[in-house]
Amino acid sequence: MANESIVNVRFIDELKGRGLFASRDIAAGTVLFEEKPLVCAQFLWNECYHYEACEYCMRSMENAEEMARRLSANPSLVLPCMECCKAEKQNFVHCPHCRVAYCCSECREQAWNQYHQVLCLSQHPPDPNHPLVILQEVWKTMHYPPETTSIMLIAKMIASIKQAKSKEEILASFNQFCHVPQNEERQLSHKLLGKQFEGQYEALQPLLLNALHEESVAQWFTPGGLRSPFALIGMNGQGVGSSSLSVYVHNCDELDLEAEERHNLDQFIDQLYVEMEKGIVDIMFVHSKYLLVSESGAFLNCEGSALYKLQSCCNHSCVPNAEISFLHNNSTLSLVALTDITEGQEVLISYLDKCCKERSRHSRQKELRENYLFSCDCSKCRLQCDDPDVTSSEEEEEEEEMEDGEASQAKN
């Protein structure tokens, strides 16, 4: 939950909309608020690579040793200091009908009450001709890693509306997110999914209609209208990552050890990551199918996306004073102060990843315009306003590789 004594939401102007502001002085390192998502979903290809996550909260459900064995392709690997692993397998439960996994009975109950009655496949293994199964399989042929969203995020939004006692209330929750004009939805939704997705709304729309039609959002079930939820996610969606192994490594770092023990443990963990990185390989396509060529594909964590009501109010800066973290190995989001923040100051995060944030002003602005439809006017961008509008050769090479990948994907 938000700590109302620390932050509050204010309307700024028509261009920026809302923003989050400090209601008192805040010290660096302070957790400003913690927030559970309205809805979250694991990426489907991430799930295919056997990343086991709670269907409701995305908690990583392998223990650290199981995850390390799978990612390093070493079934006999033994992790030291397993007391640092906090996976509580004794609490894990399943849906009694479709056997979907949950980290605890509370998550199972909350999922059932919010959306799972609609999305439950009723049997295990699922019927391959079930409309939801077909929808997911077709989606995977359209949207390969690196994944930016999942059709199941939209499916959970629709199922939440279908199950809601007050459809108006849940619709109001989704409508409070930032929306874009219809003429910009096309640009944003295609950027979220990739250029090759341009002609595939028409293929996806009847499958979604057959699986989940809901009259209160009937406009979403048309080829043009389907862009709206994708554009909403493009503007407001937040990536989520969880990993029992990362929790284990963090807890190992906190151990009070003698110098030699610390050296040996750090060396072991460093080598473990070297072995796991060997499993991260380039995406390959064979006969229009995704070839599973490693234990992890392009992933090292359980990954997905989510919608957060309060986090979506945070505006961007290339010099942020706060950052998003997932401190509980699930989809509960924590906003942590990076610097001291004074009362009345706006709380700002970066919409750019660490690598992109360090690039030229021209490159940052290009990324923000294409992905979020605005130009940044933060202090760093103003300071660099006279820098030449050029893109480095390294960035150009990355863009060419991405475009080549998209072209190959479209061809297949």
Side-chain angles (χ1 to χ4, degrees):
M1 305 180 53
N3 187 334
E4 296 297 339
S5 65
I6 293 182
V7 295
N8 57 70
V9 178
R10 297 182 201 165
F11 179 78
I12 301 174
D13 55 40
E14 292 294 339
L15 183 62
K16 284 190 173 182
R18 297 169 300 172
L20 199 66
F21 292 82
S23 54
R24 64 170 176 79
D25 291 345
I26 300 169
T30 300
V31 176
L32 281 69
F33 64 80
E34 293 190 331
E35 180 180 20
K36 294 182 179 180
L38 291 180
V39 65
C40 71
Q42 185 180 4
F43 294 144
L44 290 176
W45 277 112
N46 186 263
E47 186 178 353
C48 281
Y49 276 111
H50 308 296
Y51 285 88
E52 299 175 14
C54 174
E55 192 272 340
Y56 182 75
C57 78
M58 273 197 63
R59 181 179 298 278
S60 177
M61 293 178 66
E62 293 175 287
N63 68 32
E65 191 167 80
E66 290 169 337
M67 198 171 208
R69 286 176 174 179
R70 177 172 59 82
L71 295 177
S72 64
N74 180 359
S76 62
L77 177 69
V78 177
L79 292 187
C81 308
M82 270 297 286
E83 69 274 11
C84 291
C85 176
K86 301 303 178 183
E88 299 176 333
K89 290 205 157 197
Q90 70 276 10
N91 295 330
F92 294 174
V93 296
H94 295 81
C95 170
H97 310 293
C98 65
R99 304 302 297 165
V100 161
Y102 297 95
C103 67
C104 61
S105 56
E106 181 182 359
C107 279
R108 180 176 63 183
E109 181 179 359
Q110 290 179 343
W112 183 258
N113 291 336
Q114 181 181 342
Y115 58 76
H116 192 63
Q117 294 174 51
V118 170
L119 299 182
C120 183
L121 298 175
S122 302
Q123 63 185 64
H124 182 79
D127 177 2
N129 295 315
H130 191 289
L132 275 172
V133 175
I134 294 173
L135 178 67
Q136 292 178 69
E137 291 305 311
V138 170
W139 171 262
K140 285 189 290 185
T141 67
M142 294 179 174
H143 195 45
Y144 296 96
E147 294 175 90
T148 53
T149 190
S150 170
I151 191 63
M152 292 310 295
L153 192 61
I154 292 177
K156 287 184 179 182
M157 292 169 66
I158 296 170
S160 297
I161 295 167
K162 291 177 76 72
Q163 279 192 216
K165 293 179 180 178
S166 171
K167 295 185 189 298
E168 294 77 13
E169 186 175 335
I170 187 68
L171 281 169
S173 296
F174 292 133
N175 286 333
Q176 63 87 38
F177 287 102
C178 178
H179 293 259
V180 295
Q182 284 190 342
N183 64 328
E184 293 181 342
E185 284 183 351
R186 184 183 188 91
Q187 174 187 347
L188 188 58
S189 57
H190 288 153
K191 183 63 181 178
L192 175 70
L193 299 174
K195 295 177 182 178
Q196 76 286 349
F197 207 82
E198 175 74 31
Q200 294 178 330
Y201 282 99
E202 290 186 4
L204 197 62
Q205 175 265 329
L207 299 176
L208 189 67
L209 179 67
N210 187 37
L212 291 167
H213 180 253
E214 166 56 39
E215 188 60 35
S216 61
V217 284
Q219 70 277 14
W220 288 0
F221 295 91
T222 66
L226 187 54
R227 292 190 183 94
S228 294
F230 279 116
L232 183 150
I233 293 167
M235 284 294 289
N236 303 278
Q238 169 64 47
V240 178
S242 66
S243 168
S244 297
L245 183 59
S246 292
V247 173
Y248 161 83
V249 171
H250 172 77
N251 290 337
C252 283
D253 288 342
E254 299 296 312
L255 291 175
D256 185 14
L257 301 174
E258 298 292 334
E260 184 177 358
E261 289 180 292
R262 168 55 60 193
H263 172 76
N264 291 339
L265 182 57
D266 289 348
Q267 193 172 47
F268 175 89
I269 291 173
D270 288 344
Q271 183 58 37
L272 173 61
Y273 273 97
V274 169
E275 294 300 317
M276 292 192 302
E277 288 290 344
K278 291 179 182 178
I280 302 298
V281 297
D282 292 333
I283 303 303
M284 296 178 63
F285 296 88
V286 175
H287 303 305
S288 300
K289 295 294 183 182
Y290 193 60
L291 180 65
L292 304 186
V293 291
S294 73
E295 295 298 321
S296 62
F299 307 102
L300 275 178
N301 301 315
C302 300
E303 294 183 16
S305 57
L307 291 172
Y308 297 88
K309 183 177 179 180
L310 194 59
Q311 172 269 339
S312 69
C313 298
C314 294
N315 287 314
H316 164 83
S317 172
C318 298
V319 279
N321 55 19
E323 69 176 356
I324 290 167
S325 295
F326 294 92
L327 304 177
H328 304 290
N329 195 29
N330 61 14
S331 61
T332 298
L333 177 150
S334 302
L335 190 68
V336 183
L338 289 172
T339 64
D340 292 345
I341 304 173
T342 59
E343 181 179 354
Q345 186 179 357
E346 187 174 5
V347 177
L348 299 164
I349 61 175
S350 175
Y351 295 176
L352 305 173
D353 61 31
K354 183 177 181 181
C355 179
C356 191
K357 192 168 62 175
E358 299 307 317
R359 290 178 173 172
S360 67
R361 177 183 182 275
H362 174 72
S363 296
R364 299 196 309 272
Q365 295 283 9
K366 182 175 183 289
E367 185 81 8
L368 292 167
R369 281 194 301 271
E370 291 183 350
N371 288 282
Y372 299 98
L373 309 180
F374 74 89
S375 296
C376 182
D377 189 40
C378 71
S379 58
K380 182 175 182 179
C381 287
R382 289 196 298 271
L383 186 65
Q384 297 174 343
C385 66
D386 293 328
D387 288 0
D389 288 342
V390 294
T391 305
S392 70
S393 57
E394 177 185 334
E395 291 168 299
E396 288 172 350
E397 288 173 6
E398 289 182 6
E399 289 175 0
E400 288 175 3
E401 289 175 4
M402 184 175 295
E403 289 174 359
D404 289 344
E406 288 175 347
S408 174
Q409 192 169 325
K411 182 179 179 180
N412 286 308

